[in-house]
Amino acid sequence: MAKVTRSDSRYARPAVTVDVVVFTLQHGLHVLLVQRKHPPFAGMWALPGGFVEIDEPLEEAARRELREESALQPDYLEQLYAFGDPQRDPRTRVITIAYLALLPHGRQEARAASDAAAASWFPAYAPPPLAFDHGRILDCAIARLRCQLERSALIFELLPPEFTLGELQQAYEQVLNERLDKRNFRRKMLRAGLLADTGRHKAGAYRPARLYRLREEAAVGLRARRVFP
C-alpha cells in the first residue's frame, strides 16, 4: 500500500473538498457511508466527498461527488459548515465544506460507484470508526437536523408524500433518538397548521389510520417554518 505524506509533491497546495452527510430513516436515523478505495485511510468508512474542481461551484461538486461514490441524487441538499483543522488530512492543508442531504427511505438505491469500494447505510448514532474528522462532521449534522426539527418542517424531507400521524411521530423519534408522548405530539402537530387531510386511510394491524400530507402553502416556506411555538 502506497504511503501518503504531507511532503508529497502531488499535494503541494492547500485544497478544498466537499463532504456530504446523507440521512434517511430505516428503523432509526441512518447515514450513508462509503468505503475508501485509496489512501489515506484506505479501507475505512467515510462520508462521501472529494476535491472541488478548479471551476466548479461548491454545491455542484457536492452533488457530483455523491453521485460518483454512491449513485444517489437527493433533492434536498444544504450547506452545513466548514471544517479546516490544519491536521485533518495527512496529505496537506485541506479545508472541507460539509453538506447535509435528506432522502426518504427506499426512494433511491445506494450503490458503490466509480470512486468507492462500497456504499452502505449505518446507524447515525452508532457509526463505525470514520476516516479524517468525519465523526465530528457527522455529529455536527445530527445536531443541525435535531435543531431544525424544533424550528422548521424539515422532517417532511425524510417522509413519503403521504403518511399517518404515527409514521410522522416515529420519524421525529428516530431523528431525536428518544420517545415522545403520543397525545401531546399529535395535538401539537394538528395545531401547527402544516398538515392536510388526504381523505384516505392506510390499512394496518388495527383500524385504518388517516393519511396526511404537507400543505402546499407550508411546503413553500418549508425550511423557515416554525412547527412548535
Side-chain angles (χ1 to χ4, degrees), residues 71-90:
L72 293 182
Q73 301 183 63
D75 292 331
Y76 185 86
L77 182 76
E78 71 162 295
Q79 194 173 119
L80 176 64
Y81 198 71
F83 296 82
D85 188 305
Q87 304 302 318
R88 63 175 305 276
D89 192 314

Side-chain angles (χ1 to χ4, degrees), residues 125-144:
Y125 286 100
L130 300 181
F132 303 103
D133 56 352
H134 288 187
R136 182 186 173 200
I137 297 175
L138 174 58
D139 289 344
C140 182
I142 292 174
R144 168 73 67 84

Side-chain angles (χ1 to χ4, degrees), residues 16 51-57 61 64-65 68:
V16 177
F51 288 93
V52 178
E53 296 178 358
I54 193 66
D55 295 321
E56 188 176 34
R64 174 183 56 77
E65 286 290 343
E68 289 177 355

Side-chain angles (χ1 to χ4, degrees), residues 18-34:
V18 287
D19 289 300
V20 188
V21 185
V22 188
F23 288 128
T24 195
L25 299 177
Q26 48 177 333
H27 306 294
L29 183 66
H30 279 62
V31 63
L32 176 74
L33 300 177
V34 297

